[in-house]
Amino acid sequence: MRRARTLWHSPSGYERKTLHDETVTQQAASFAELGLAEEILRAVAEAGHEHPTPIQARAIPEVLAGRNLIGIAQTGTGKTASFLLPMLQLLIRGRSRARMPRALVLSPTRELATQTARNFDLYAKYLKLTRALLIGGVGMGEQERALEKGVDVVIATPGRLLDWFERGRILLGGVEILVIDEADRMLDMGFMPDVERIIRLLIRRRQTLLFSATMPAEVRRLAETFMPDAVEVAVSPPARKAELVDDVFVPTEAERKRATLVWLLRTRDIGKAMIFCNTKREVAALTRHLRRLGFEAEDIHGDLEQSVRLRTLERFKADEVKLLVCTDVAARGLDIAELPVVINYDVPLSADDYVHRIGRTGRAGHRGRAYTLITPADARQVAAIERLTGRRVPQLELEEETAPAPPARAEQPAAAASGDAEKPQRASRRRRRGREPEPKAAAPAASPEAVPAADAPAAASAGDGEAAAASVAADVAVAEGGRRRRRRSRSGNGEGADAARAPSREEPVRGMGDHVPRFLLIPIPLRSGAKAGASR
């Protein structure tokens, strides 16, 4: 295996050197060869870990040597243990003080922070080390009590950590080891300003560990600024899919996506799966749709309370829930053992997120499958994914006899086309109900007497009250005639009804329609001054 070490050093600026060791280094055969304490090795063995993964075998010795480290590896390769195990080894000596942790782990999401805390408890079970989990969405009482008592390690999201710091409940001057987990996800979620502020508060920081699946330019800039002499360990090319994941694209149409998803669930032997959507609204709507069809589905997204999200995840891990519909909040750091299938209902907006989504399956040596529903509108995202992964993703061609049927609403035009054939049946039903339609008749033409004269407004303005009253009465008569015609058109059907509904060209167009407000029917006599003005 070729080993690459990247060093940053220059008092006047940034200088990057890459040193390649052409000799092939042998991967450590066991955790005992990495120089870990007996208590840690015992806990690791009880957790079922026999051999270190490539990222663990290469990162742990560098961390134990006290160097700053940048670790680049895919999701599901054991990055969490790569920094937790050597950090525990370095913290064995020393003691905690109230509100002054000795190590800090920053995570982008609550779920990832919770997963890291559980791994800490698993590996530190035989050590006298304590930790505090500082995340939002839960009560602050237990977190405050832990900080007052004193902890060795704080695992937190950036926002909640700064909240406690501004309250004066935690002091960061004693932090010696800083871990930035999933740095690229921090960038995507807009946490980089908070991360930089936190780093500047760590005045006694001696070692910084940054782990990420990809290395965007902004993350690289962060490393250049705050991590001098950093050693970069990359066990696989960034943003490449896991080798144990068989991913395919499933072409479909936008209006057939739900039918295509249901077809996949029922024909591809999918007993348990995570289904990713791009929006919280789509997550909720799709979950309701799957439940109506009889699937055991639950949803998880950022608007749910943390207790609800954790309870849903536990039910999914325990196989009480078969389908977990979620946003990208669950695409990082969640360790779900032997998850067989991941389905991208929506193509991710970022090509990097595609790698992280499908990385939920194919973990710990188990093969996994990933399906992505693509529509013609997703052509740009599909091209970005294939460009990032460096390969063409195979497509699952749907045969005509097995393709999902179009939605029911697509058949409505055909039903409308056959409406004429169904009209006699509707008429017969009305006759059975005793509502025999009246004979068809064309709309009667308006008589000249019913139409108000063009100079009716002038007569009203001249103050002739009787003429105004006669004009209003004519309007009322026209309105009553219109109501009678509408009643006849409702009771009829076919061409007669259409003729009744069609406006007559001989009738004048009235702004008020057939509904004349009552106050307009009251004649208002004009004063003599107004009459004179009107006559002029």
Side-chain angles (χ1 to χ4, degrees):
M1 180 182 297
R2 176 174 293 185
R3 186 180 186 183
R5 176 174 296 182
T6 304
L7 304 178
W8 285 271
H9 60 87
S10 177
S12 59
Y14 168 67
E15 180 182 356
R16 178 178 176 178
K17 291 184 179 180
T18 303
L19 306 178
H20 292 285
D21 184 1
E22 298 298 337
T23 60
V24 178
T25 59
Q26 297 294 330
Q27 180 177 330
S30 65
F31 285 97
E33 300 178 14
L34 300 177
L36 300 175
E38 286 295 331
E39 296 84 352
I40 300 177
L41 294 175
R42 180 181 174 187
V44 169
E46 292 182 0
H49 305 322
E50 298 179 359
H51 306 286
T53 64
I55 184 65
Q56 294 167 0
R58 299 182 59 183
I60 290 177
E62 301 289 352
V63 178
L64 291 177
R67 299 187 180 95
N68 293 332
L69 176 74
I70 299 175
I72 304 176
Q74 303 164 357
T75 56
T77 55
K79 291 195 298 292
T80 303
S82 299
F83 62 81
L84 277 182
L85 295 180
M87 184 176 67
L88 294 176
Q89 178 73 29
L90 296 174
L91 294 177
I92 289 179
R93 298 178 181 179
R95 62 183 183 87
S96 61
R97 290 177 288 180
R99 297 187 294 172
M100 292 188 66
R102 295 190 290 156
L104 172 63
V105 180
L106 293 179
S107 300
T109 65
R110 305 171 188 172
E111 286 74 22
L112 181 55
T114 303
Q115 184 71 39
T116 302
R118 290 177 179 173
N119 288 334
F120 179 93
D121 297 338
L122 185 66
Y123 300 140
K125 59 192 303 184
Y126 298 114
L127 301 175
K128 295 181 180 180
L129 297 176
T130 56
R131 56 88 178 167
L133 177 62
L134 307 183
I135 58 176
V138 296
M140 303 179 71
E142 182 178 353
Q143 299 177 13
E144 185 174 8
R145 288 191 294 271
L147 292 176
E148 290 292 337
K149 184 179 179 180
V151 294
D152 297 286
V153 179
V154 165
I155 304 169
T157 53
R160 179 50 66 97
L161 178 67
L162 289 176
D163 187 12
W164 281 115
F165 177 78
E166 291 170 355
R167 293 168 181 255
R169 299 298 184 181
I170 185 172
L171 303 176
L172 301 178
V175 174
E176 300 177 357
I177 303 174
L178 170 65
V179 179
I180 304 174
D181 194 14
E182 298 289 358
D184 52 350
R185 186 61 174 165
M186 293 273 196
L187 176 64
D188 295 340
M189 300 180 70
F191 289 149
M192 276 304 169
D194 291 341
V195 172
E196 293 185 13
R197 180 186 174 191
I198 292 171
I199 294 177
R200 291 188 174 93
L201 294 173
L202 308 180
I203 57 177
R204 291 186 58 189
R205 173 176 55 93
R206 294 189 305 181
Q207 191 173 13
T208 303
L209 314 177
L210 186 147
F211 286 83
S212 181
T214 60
M215 282 297 291
E218 189 69 16
V219 176
R220 182 72 69 181
R221 184 195 63 80
L222 182 74
E224 297 170 7
T225 305
F226 297 103
M227 300 177 64
D229 300 329
V231 176
E232 181 176 311
V233 175
V235 299
S236 60
R240 295 292 179 91
K241 81 174 187 69
E243 295 298 330
L244 296 178
V245 178
D246 300 321
D247 59 329
V248 295
F249 287 158
V250 183
T252 184
E253 300 294 334
E255 62 273 11
R256 297 191 180 198
K257 288 182 68 174
R258 290 188 178 182
T260 304
L261 173 64
V262 174
W263 175 81
L264 281 174
L265 295 174
R266 289 175 173 171
T267 62
R268 294 291 161 174
D269 190 24
I270 299 176
K272 183 177 181 180
M274 292 181 70
I275 304 174
F276 286 98
C277 301
N278 287 345
T279 65
K280 294 175 283 190
R281 178 175 297 181
E282 187 63 45
V283 165
L286 184 59
T287 303
R288 291 193 298 267
H289 177 72
L290 293 174
R291 287 174 180 171
R292 284 196 297 267
L293 296 179
F295 293 98
E296 299 176 3
E298 292 290 344
D299 57 347
I300 178 172
H301 52 78
D303 283 351
L304 298 176
E305 294 185 0
Q306 183 64 17
S307 58
V308 176
R309 290 156 63 172
L310 292 177
R311 186 165 58 250
T312 301
L313 284 174
E314 291 301 324
R315 293 183 59 201
F316 184 66
K317 292 179 180 180
D319 289 337
E320 298 177 8
V321 175
K322 300 302 182 183
L323 301 178
L324 184 64
V325 188
C326 53
T327 56
D328 286 317
V329 71
R332 299 288 186 97
L334 297 184
D335 188 10
I336 301 175
E338 300 183 16
L339 178 65
V341 178
V342 166
I343 300 176
N344 290 316
Y345 182 78
D346 293 326
V347 179
L349 301 178
S350 171
D352 289 335
D353 288 337
Y354 176 81
V355 176
H356 297 302
R357 285 184 181 184
I358 68 175
R360 296 303 96 209
T361 185
R363 302 166 72 93
H366 301 281
R367 297 204 69 86
R369 293 176 290 161
Y371 300 94
T372 301
L373 276 59
I374 62 173
T375 66
D378 300 323
R380 179 176 298 179
Q381 292 97 308
V382 169
I385 290 172
E386 293 182 338
R387 185 166 55 252
L388 182 68
T389 57
R391 65 189 184 91
R392 291 192 62 84
V393 180
Q395 295 191 5
L396 178 64
E397 297 296 339
L398 305 183
E399 300 178 0
E400 292 295 334
E401 61 272 14
T402 60
R409 62 176 178 271
E411 301 175 358
Q412 291 178 358
S418 61
D420 295 337
E422 298 179 358
K423 285 180 181 178
Q425 299 178 3
R426 291 198 295 267
S428 63
R429 285 198 295 268
R430 279 195 290 269
R431 281 193 290 271
R432 286 197 298 269
R433 294 172 186 166
R435 294 189 298 174
E436 182 69 18
E438 298 179 5
K440 301 176 183 179
S447 60
E449 294 80 10
V451 179
D455 58 347
S461 63
D464 190 354
E466 295 180 359
S471 177
V472 170
D475 291 342
V476 174
V478 172
E480 290 296 332
R483 294 190 187 98
R484 286 194 296 270
R485 286 195 299 273
R486 284 199 303 275
R487 284 196 293 269
R488 285 198 298 270
S489 66
R490 292 193 195 103
S491 61
N493 55 13
E495 297 177 359
D498 296 336
R501 285 191 294 268
S504 175
R505 293 182 179 273
E506 298 179 2
E507 295 183 4
V509 177
R510 302 182 182 279
M512 290 294 181
D514 293 337
H515 302 281
V516 181
R518 184 178 297 274
F519 73 90
L520 293 180
L521 302 179
I522 303 175
I524 302 176
L526 300 179
R527 295 192 300 272
S528 58
K531 293 179 181 179
S535 61
R536 289 197 298 267

